Amino acid sequence: MNKPLSLPDANGLFGSFGGRFVAETLMPLILELQDEYATAKNDPEFQRQLAYFQGDYVAAPARSTLPSGSPSTSAARVFTSSVKS
């Protein structure tokens, strides 16, 4: 019986041969980003900004409204969406 895999592991690797599903040309940038995040995640100002953006943008429902003047008997109803500012 196959057991479910929980990949990637804690180091971001897939299986015993390692590797990441990223184009090789991007690896230097990915490693730089990884190092910068390791430093930034302990910075209180970074955490404050991260919480702000997560609160306003991550999984925030968009308010959808039917524009005024739209015919309510139309077969197609077009809604507009606005993001909280």
Side-chain angles (χ1 to χ4, degrees):
M1 173 181 267
N2 292 336
K3 63 179 183 173
L5 298 175
S6 58
L7 298 174
D9 66 13
N11 295 317
L13 302 177
F14 292 85
S16 58
F17 297 105
R20 298 179 185 191
F21 289 122
V22 174
E24 191 62 31
T25 55
L26 294 177
M27 280 309 298
L29 300 170
I30 298 289
L31 294 174
E32 180 182 355
L33 180 62
Q34 178 179 308
D35 292 343
E36 290 297 324
Y37 177 71
T39 301
K41 71 180 181 180
N42 297 317
D43 179 6
E45 178 61 16
F46 173 80
Q47 290 298 324
R48 185 191 66 74
Q49 289 182 20
L50 180 61
Y52 168 78
F53 286 114
Q54 286 177 331
D56 281 351
Y57 299 105
V58 175
R63 294 183 297 269
S64 296
T65 57
L66 190 60
S68 61
S70 296
S72 59
T73 57
S74 171
R77 295 175 57 191
V78 177
F79 287 83
T80 60
S81 179
S82 62
V83 177
K84 183 173 83 172
S85 57

